[in-house]
Amino acid sequence: MATDCPTNPVCGAALKSAYGIDVANATLLSACDTPDGPALSGKTIDVGELCSTQPDIAVNGWVVLEDDKHTQPADNLAPLVRNDLLAKLSASDKTAFEKVLNDVSAALDTATLLDLGKQVNVDKKDIAVVAHAWLLSKGFVK
């Protein structure tokens, strides 16, 4: 469990009330971090908090459980751009740029992010090559 799980209302209290999981004596690790995968696969821990795009899921063939009690808030992609970059764009360029960002982020679902992350972090492919191949496959670049 995440280091803040015992005091985080969307972790400790939520898991206990919704699913009966008591984290009072849990081994605390960083959420969505590298130690979770080996700890779970090595049976050092029984329950871990992995992010749905964490490559360990794909590598180990784990099943992502549905939070049917809706204890966890959604984590959606939010593209961020520095103001100094936006200040350099004309109004029409800003509109075009916004469209590209929205189109790309709309195409990045959980399964895609999981696959892209695995290619970079596990398969050790170059991030620029992986990103370009994906953008090409979606028609965002030629």
Side-chain angles (χ1 to χ4, degrees), residues 48-134:
E49 185 176 2
L50 281 73
C51 288
S52 58
T53 58
Q54 198 165 332
D56 295 289
I57 296 168
V59 169
N60 292 292
W62 291 334
V63 175
V64 176
L65 302 176
E66 182 181 341
D67 180 20
D68 60 341
K69 310 255 189 218
H70 309 287
T71 63
Q72 301 301 301
D75 287 332
N76 297 312
L77 290 178
L80 300 174
V81 181
R82 291 188 333 263
N83 286 331
D84 63 318
L85 175 66
L86 292 176
K88 296 175 185 176
L89 300 176
S90 67
S92 62
D93 286 344
K94 282 182 187 176
T95 301
F97 186 66
E98 181 179 344
K99 180 178 178 353
V100 168
L101 283 180
N102 287 336
D103 290 349
V104 169
S105 62
L108 287 169
D109 60 10
T110 300
T112 300
L113 289 169
L114 181 62
D115 177 59
L116 295 172
K118 180 187 171 292
Q119 288 182 57
V120 171
N121 295 308
V122 177
D123 302 338
K124 304 297 184 197
K125 294 181 181 177
D126 182 81
I127 192 169
V129 171
V130 171
H132 185 264
W134 181 82

